[in-house]
């Protein structure tokens, strides 16, 4: 039976997955930042269940897959089982990398910085293990979905009615802070949109993503308060939108920021 840790990891894996062609476009954008380099080694900080890593691993690249959550790493290990030849799994903290200086050609960080209040440590570690001429590849999704936004705001109102404040928007602010830190080091980060696509999502999936706390803004809320808010949210959603199996459009895009060392 799945433990609570792997249950959340499976939910993450299913609800945050990229369509195959999108995953391929992202992989191509990452490898093109390294073109010309023979047998590059990638390190991903906070690899999760591997939605960024697996297409790169399938293309034969050497990959160090690091995460501090054993549940995420376990689901990643199962998914990568058939293509593990050049993969090293590392259960470790991005703020203290168990790797030598200048040992990898690319460090990938997707949806990670906002989870680390002391992100400068992880950034310093990333730059330490990069070889001269190596690249830091930071990626993030942008999601626009009015229905989902309204659901999340209703959840927030129910939580705040219990006296707990919810902070949103940290992800974008943190990306900005990291960019400023890179520029202060004399580096030149360059951002571009890699791909945009549309998905249909069911209300049930949107509720599950909230319930399983897949969004970082939900993660600091005490369990009892979260439970109460979810108990109010399900009937609220049915009242506002009808059947939970109803789908709604989600506009998504993926951005990549590339910073080359030296
Ligand atoms: N990069 C993956 C993706 O885009 O699908 C996963 C993103 S998920 C939002 C963040 C991941 O970072 C989780 O798997 C979490 O366990 C991991 N993480 C959080 N803090 C970490 C830390 N200090 N060191 C290593 N991994 C960390």
């Amino acid at each position: 039976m799945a433990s609570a840790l792997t249950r959340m990891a499976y939910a993450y894996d299913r609800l945050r997955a990229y369509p195959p062609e999108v995953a391929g476009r992202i992989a191509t954008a990452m490898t093109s930042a390294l073109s010309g380099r023979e047998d590059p080694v990638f390190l991903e900080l906070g690899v999760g269940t591997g939605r960024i890593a697996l297409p790169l691993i399938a293309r034969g690249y050497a990959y160090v897959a690091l995460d501090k959550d054993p549940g995420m790493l376990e689901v990643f290990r199962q998914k990568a089982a058939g293509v593990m030849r050049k993969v090293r799994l590392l259960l470790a903290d991005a703020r203290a990398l168990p790797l030598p200086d200048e040992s990898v050609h690319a460090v990938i960080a997707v949806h990670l910085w906002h989870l680390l209040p002391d992100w400068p440590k992880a950034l310093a570690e990333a730059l330490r293990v990069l070889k001269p001429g190596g690249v830091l590849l930071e990626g993030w999704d942008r999601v626009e979905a009015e229905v989902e936004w309204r659901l999340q705001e209703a959840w927030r109102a129910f939580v705040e009615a219990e006296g707990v404040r919810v902070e949103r928007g940290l992800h974008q602010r943190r990306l900005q802070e990291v960019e400023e830190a890179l520029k202060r080091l004399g580096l030149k980060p360059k951002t571009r949109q890699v791909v945009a696509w549309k998905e249909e999502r069911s209300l049930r999936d949107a509720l599950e993503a909230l319930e399983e706390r897949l969004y970082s803004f939900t993660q600091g809320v005490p369990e009892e308060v979260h439970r109460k808010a979810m108990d109010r949210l399900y009937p609220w959603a049915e009242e506002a939108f009808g059947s939970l199996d109803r789908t709604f459009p989600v506009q998504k895009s993926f951005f990549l920021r590339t910073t080359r060392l030296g």
Side-chain angles (χ1 to χ4, degrees), residues 126-140:
L127 300 178
R128 175 181 70 76
V129 300
L130 271 174
K131 288 180 186 287
V135 283
L136 174 64
L137 299 167
E138 302 163 82
W140 62 92

Side-chain angles (χ1 to χ4, degrees), residues 226-248:
H226 178 51
R227 186 85 341 269
K228 274 192 191 160
M230 289 308 303
D231 286 347
R232 291 181 69 185
L233 189 63
Y234 275 93
W236 179 91
E238 274 192 298
E239 174 79 28
F241 303 113
S243 160
L244 298 188
D245 292 319
R246 189 186 136 188
T247 61
F248 56 88

Side-chain angles (χ1 to χ4, degrees), residues 12 44 46-48 51 66-69 72 92-95 110-112 115-116:
Y12 182 92
E44 185 173 351
V47 70
R51 64 182 183 155
L66 179 143
D67 206 287
K68 75 158 192 358
D69 181 331
M72 292 296 235
D93 195 307
R95 294 164 295 188
V110 176
H111 287 238
L112 175 68
L115 302 175
L116 304 175

Side-chain angles (χ1 to χ4, degrees), residues 73-197:
L73 222 43
E74 172 55 21
V75 173
F76 171 79
R77 191 189 59 75
Q78 290 168 14
K79 290 178 67 190
V83 283
M84 284 287 268
R85 255 177 331 119
K86 288 156 92 178
V87 183
R88 178 175 166 204
L89 262 69
L90 263 186
L91 180 62
D93 195 307
R95 294 164 295 188
L97 296 176
L99 295 170
D101 295 356
E102 302 186 0
S103 53
V104 303
H105 300 87
V107 172
I108 297 176
V110 176
H111 287 238
L112 175 68
W113 303 133
H114 63 299
L115 302 175
L116 304 175
D118 50 356
W119 59 269
K121 279 191 192 159
L123 181 62
E125 280 291 83
L127 300 178
R128 175 181 70 76
V129 300
L130 271 174
K131 288 180 186 287
V135 283
L136 174 64
L137 299 167
E138 302 163 82
W140 62 92
D141 302 324
R142 179 175 293 164
V143 179
E144 290 157 63
E146 198 208 320
V147 170
E148 191 147 21
W149 177 260
R150 283 178 59 197
L151 264 187
Q152 293 173 356
E153 284 300 291
W155 173 88
R156 189 214 316 230
F158 293 143
V159 167
E160 295 197 338
E162 299 293 323
V164 176
R165 226 182 84 69
V166 176
E167 192 196 353
R168 298 195 70 173
L170 177 63
H171 188 203
Q172 281 305 316
R173 283 202 300 283
R174 187 57 51 78
L175 284 168
Q176 182 73 37
E177 286 171 1
V178 175
E179 179 165 21
E180 284 160 13
L182 290 169
K183 286 181 176 163
R184 277 198 300 276
L185 292 169
L187 298 167
K188 295 194 176 84
K190 289 197 182 71
T191 302
R192 70 181 174 99
Q193 182 182 292
V194 171
V195 54
W197 71 104

Side-chain angles (χ1 to χ4, degrees), residues 1-8 10 71 74-75 78:
M1 213 175 84
S3 70
L5 266 182
T6 47
R7 201 188 74 181
M8 188 209 172
Y10 280 122
E74 172 55 21
V75 173
Q78 290 168 14

